[in-house]
Amino acid sequence: ISKQINIIVTPQFLEITTDTAATLKVEVINNSQQVDHFPLEVIGIPPEWIQLPEKLKLFPGKQQSREIRILAPSRSTSVAAIYPIEVRTKGEDHATEYREFAKADGQIKVKPFYRFDVELHPKVLRVTNRARLEIINRGNEATSYQFTPSDAEEALRFDFGPESDLVVPGGNSGLKSIRLIPKKRPIIGM
C-alpha cells in the first residue's frame, strides 16, 4: 500500500436499491513529489454495476474528489447481501517508487426485492386430481411462499401435504404438489 497516495471513500457503508443509482465520493491525495494520473477501480461488486469517472490528474500535495456511480440491475443475479468493497488507485505515470496502490475499504448493501410468477401444471385437470404449482422467484433473495387456496364455488378441498410452504432461492423455481379433492362426488348416470 502506497504512502505516496491517500484515498478516502464516503460513505463507507452504502445501502442501495436495485435499478436506482447511488454514488460514492472518492477523494485522492497526491503526497508524492510528482505530477501523476490516478485511475479509480472498485473491487468486490460486478463491474457492470460500476460507472467510473475519468482519471484524476494531481500535482504534488494536491487533492481532488470524484464520484463513482453504482447501479445494480433489478435481476435475481443482484443478490441481496452486504458486499465488502475496495476502492483503489495508483499512479500511472511514474513506475518507480510509488507504483503501489492506495485503497479504501467500504461496504455496499443491496436491498432485497420481491417478484414471482406462479404456474399451474397441468392447466386443466381431467382424469387426475393432482397438480403442481411452479413458483418462479424472480427476486434477489430466497423467499418462503405459503399457499392459501380458495375456490369461489367452495366445491374443492386442497391438500398441500405436510409442508404447506416452499422456500425458493432467488432466480430459481420450485414445485409444490397439490391434491384437489371434490367436497361432493358428482352424480353420474340416471
Side-chain angles (χ1 to χ4, degrees):
I1 296 180
S2 176
K3 294 178 182 143
Q4 302 294 323
I5 311 161
N6 287 355
I7 186 168
I8 301 165
V9 174
T10 53
Q12 289 182 312
F13 182 82
L14 180 64
E15 193 171 50
I16 64 172
T17 302
T18 57
D19 280 345
T20 303
T23 56
L24 291 171
K25 182 180 175 189
V26 180
E27 186 172 352
V28 178
I29 305 159
N30 182 1
N31 294 320
S32 76
Q33 300 301 313
Q34 311 260 349
V35 175
D36 212 335
H37 289 87
F38 299 95
L40 298 171
E41 69 175 324
V42 179
I43 296 169
I45 56 175
E48 60 270 14
W49 295 8
I50 305 164
Q51 183 179 358
L52 295 172
E54 292 180 11
K55 60 181 98 172
L56 294 91
K57 179 179 180 180
L58 289 175
F59 288 93
K62 298 296 181 186
Q63 63 190 47
Q64 280 187 25
S65 296
R66 292 282 192 273
E67 288 187 346
I68 296 175
R69 186 172 179 259
I70 310 290
L71 178 64
S74 196
R75 292 193 299 250
S76 59
T77 54
S78 301
V79 176
I82 294 175
Y83 296 84
I85 63 163
E86 279 185 8
V87 179
R88 293 181 176 187
T89 190
K90 63 182 172 183
E92 278 190 331
D93 298 338
H94 299 92
T96 57
E97 66 202 73
Y98 52 90
R99 273 308 255 178
E100 304 90 20
F101 63 89
K103 71 174 185 121
D105 295 324
Q107 293 181 325
I108 293 180
K109 178 181 180 182
V110 176
K111 294 180 187 178
F113 71 90
Y114 303 97
R115 191 177 309 136
F116 69 94
D117 294 319
V118 179
E119 294 181 9
L120 177 66
H121 303 286
K123 301 232 184 273
V124 177
L125 296 175
R126 299 202 192 287
V127 177
T128 182
N129 63 348
R130 295 194 184 276
R132 291 182 329 269
L133 287 175
E134 180 180 17
I135 306 295
I136 303 135
N137 183 353
R138 301 198 187 283
N140 66 346
E141 162 172 271
T143 305
S144 178
Y145 297 92
Q146 295 180 335
F147 302 93
T148 308
S150 66
D151 171 20
E153 296 177 14
E154 297 183 9
L156 295 172
R157 285 185 301 127
F158 300 88
D159 180 10
F160 287 99
E163 296 288 327
S164 63
D165 59 341
L166 176 67
V167 177
V168 181
N172 289 283
S173 62
L175 293 173
K176 182 68 178 165
S177 293
I178 180 173
R179 201 170 110 205
L180 306 161
I181 306 160
K183 290 184 178 178
K184 292 181 183 178
R185 294 270 179 211
I187 299 175
I188 300 176
M190 296 179 116

